[in-house]
Amino acid sequence: FMDEAQYLAEHVTIMSDGVIVAQGSPRELAERNPQGALVSFRLHSGAPPLPEPLAQMTSCADGLSRLRTEDPTRVLYELTGWAIKNDVALDGLDVTRPTLEDVYLEITKEPHRTGQQVTHE
């Protein structure tokens, strides 16, 4: 019931192989995820190319452009500024942060030594 824990819990402890590997609020744990936030949008054909820093961060599949960032505010500022300057629509613009389940899977994917306690506070 990760969805419920994400929205209802004030504090979460993640264990792997009987060892505490992370603790904090769901938001604190999500902010530590190295994947960062996912910014996605669609560009119409004929749109000018994205500025170089954004273009390097962006992957495209099925007409949907996606980029991961640890600084979504800065990326959105650059992206929307470029779109306004070039009169380009960013259809379906969306920012998604990692869920508690994403964080849990990332944290527990590497084996931890038995008896070694690792906490993040």
Side-chain angles (χ1 to χ4, degrees):
F1 302 108
M2 291 287 199
D3 286 343
E4 290 179 11
Q6 181 167 343
Y7 296 104
L8 299 176
E10 291 180 20
H11 189 85
V12 176
T13 298
I14 297 177
M15 296 182 71
S16 179
D17 295 325
V19 176
I20 295 173
V21 294
Q23 300 183 69
S25 71
R27 182 180 185 98
E28 291 168 339
L29 293 173
E31 288 173 354
R32 284 191 225 135
N33 188 309
Q35 295 178 1
L38 176 65
V39 178
S40 57
F41 54 93
R42 290 187 190 281
L43 293 174
H44 293 282
S45 60
L50 289 169
E52 191 57 34
L54 292 176
Q56 291 178 355
M57 300 169 62
T58 305
S59 65
C60 298
D62 302 326
L64 187 65
S65 298
R66 298 178 183 92
L67 60 96
R68 289 221 177 261
T69 179
E70 292 182 23
D71 191 357
T73 303
R74 181 189 57 78
V75 166
L76 286 171
Y77 176 79
E78 291 176 15
L79 180 63
T80 56
W82 168 84
I84 291 168
K85 180 181 175 183
N86 291 283
D87 196 28
V88 172
L90 299 170
D91 292 340
L93 178 62
D94 188 38
V95 179
T96 308
R97 294 201 175 266
T99 65
L100 185 58
E101 184 169 0
D102 295 333
V103 171
Y104 171 81
L105 293 173
E106 181 68 28
I107 289 173
T108 60
K109 76 178 180 183
E110 294 184 21
H112 299 278
R113 292 186 198 151
T114 305
Q116 180 180 358
Q117 183 173 347
V118 180
T119 60
H120 304 282
E121 294 192 54

